[in-house]
Amino acid sequence: MAKNGAIAQPGKREDSASSNNLSNGSTSPNAAPLRLGKDCDYDRELRRLQIELVKLQEWIRHEGLRVVALFEGRDAAGKGGAIQRIIETLNPRVCRVVALGTPTEREKTQWYFQRYVAHLPAAGEMVLFDRSWYNRAGVERVMGFCTESQYQEFMQSCPEFERMLVRSGTLLIKYWFSVSDEEQERRFQGRMKDATKRWKLSPMDLESRRHWADYSRAKDEMFALTDTKQAPWFVVNAENKKSARLNVIRHLLSKVPYRDLTPEPLALPPLVKTKYVRPPIHEQNFIPEIYQR
């Protein structure tokens, strides 16, 4: 963040990779990218950006902003990992994640956008959608979970729905995580071998492998009608997970002009212990200490 409140713009970088904030002066639109491991340490840069996210959070809360970020893309493109790094240091009362499952029978009879509207932010909140209303233009379209008329209605209504959100004062940011079929295959194979990640492979993910070209076509048709001036799509090169995480956090920070509202350090008052006899400690139920120092 610059001293006048502006944020570094997408496609630009600071002159120094070791800066502790985003306000270190001039930028060059033609500057070479920072190479992880050589020009930039991933963990240090992630920490730096997460501190800026905390500042952004406080600005959103203070100003009563409403921010929505959509995370879309192919399976295993890295959406969940990026979201996790964004929320890692944030207050869940200010920034929350919405990842809706299969609609219920009742929800299937509602206006399509209705169940998503219920999760939109109030003043002072940021909501990250891990997949969103664009399910209709993607998986529902490709897998035949909606009719042709429902799909066409969505494609007509979606741009207007998003323009309504923007006109109402909601900041809408849409990310599409792009990954090659070779990299997606590698990540799928990794999930198959890792017991902690196998849950990420649903039957729908496996079935989608037959429809790679269909998903590509659906994405292109979706972009053609929904990449609007009021709510444009931003494509994230997700071939490298770490680079993608840093790039999307940096871009998110650039889309919400904010000021640093970090409060002055507080003096920790002394702990006041009054004369109080506590109940015997053996009356409490402790968990077994299987692991000890």
Side-chain angles (χ1 to χ4, degrees):
M1 182 176 62
K3 294 179 180 179
N4 61 0
I7 309 301
Q9 294 301 308
K12 300 182 180 181
R13 71 173 178 88
E14 282 72 24
D15 296 331
S16 171
S18 61
S19 169
N20 291 324
N21 54 55
L22 298 181
S23 58
N24 58 329
S26 63
T27 59
S28 172
N30 299 318
L34 296 173
R35 291 167 293 181
L36 295 184
K38 185 173 182 180
D39 304 319
C40 175
D41 178 76
Y42 170 75
D43 292 324
R44 186 178 297 115
E45 187 71 359
L46 177 61
R47 173 66 177 173
R48 184 172 77 99
L49 294 177
Q50 286 179 332
I51 291 173
E52 293 300 314
L53 283 171
V54 172
K55 298 176 185 178
L56 172 63
Q57 166 191 268
E58 290 308 300
W59 182 254
I60 289 173
R61 186 184 61 80
H62 181 268
E63 293 295 300
L65 303 181
R66 300 193 304 271
V67 181
V68 173
L70 310 186
F71 291 75
E72 296 285 350
R74 288 189 181 275
D75 300 319
K79 302 179 295 297
I83 291 172
Q84 185 61 39
R85 273 59 180 190
I86 292 172
I87 67 172
E88 203 166 29
T89 58
L90 300 185
N91 184 344
R93 293 181 177 85
V94 177
C95 178
R96 53 190 169 85
V97 179
V98 175
L100 301 183
T102 304
T104 65
E105 291 303 315
R106 180 176 182 275
E107 288 173 332
K108 290 178 182 178
T109 67
Q110 295 175 342
W111 175 49
Y112 178 72
F113 295 98
Q114 189 167 337
R115 74 179 188 136
Y116 296 101
V117 168
H119 296 279
L120 292 175
E125 295 179 351
M126 177 166 65
V127 174
L128 311 180
F129 279 88
D130 187 351
R131 296 201 182 277
S132 65
W133 45 84
Y134 281 100
N135 278 336
R136 174 136 296 178
V139 63
E140 292 189 22
R141 165 69 163 170
V142 172
M143 305 305 295
F145 295 151
C146 67
T147 66
E148 180 65 21
S149 62
Q150 288 174 326
Y151 168 76
Q152 294 296 339
E153 171 60 28
F154 171 83
M155 297 298 277
Q156 292 289 327
S157 300
C158 183
E160 183 56 34
F161 171 69
E162 293 179 350
R163 280 191 284 266
M164 289 170 59
L165 288 180
V166 174
R167 285 198 304 268
S168 74
T170 298
L171 177 58
L172 177 62
I173 309 167
K174 304 188 301 190
Y175 292 116
W176 178 270
F177 281 65
S178 177
V179 66
S180 68
D181 51 346
E182 294 85 5
E183 178 61 18
Q184 185 187 48
E185 175 72 17
R186 190 189 68 78
R187 294 179 187 180
F188 274 0
Q189 292 295 337
R191 290 181 177 184
M192 294 288 288
K193 298 173 184 176
D194 189 338
T196 66
K197 295 182 179 180
R198 204 168 297 147
W199 63 270
K200 295 183 177 183
L201 283 176
S202 68
M204 192 60 58
D205 296 331
L206 301 180
E207 179 64 22
S208 69
R209 290 167 62 81
R210 297 187 189 180
H211 302 275
W212 203 94
D214 296 328
Y215 274 102
S216 296
R217 185 180 302 107
K219 178 258 184 180
D220 292 338
E221 293 174 354
M222 179 184 77
F223 266 46
L225 290 178
T226 62
D227 186 18
T228 63
K229 180 180 178 180
Q230 296 84 357
W233 280 103
F234 295 101
V235 178
V236 180
N237 179 355
E239 203 72 358
N240 180 278
K241 289 182 179 180
K242 290 185 176 181
S243 297
R245 292 165 186 168
L246 297 180
N247 286 329
V248 78
I249 294 174
R250 184 65 175 269
H251 185 266
L252 178 62
L253 290 166
S254 77
K255 300 305 293 182
V256 190
Y258 64 97
R259 287 194 292 108
D260 186 356
L261 298 180
T262 303
E264 294 297 324
L266 300 175
L268 190 65
L271 184 63
V272 178
K273 294 184 178 181
T274 58
K275 292 182 179 180
Y276 171 66
V277 179
R278 303 185 67 183
I281 195 170
H282 68 265
E283 293 182 357
Q284 302 177 37
N285 296 313
F286 285 84
I287 66 170
E289 294 189 43
I290 306 300
Y291 308 99
Q292 298 182 2
R293 295 182 62 179

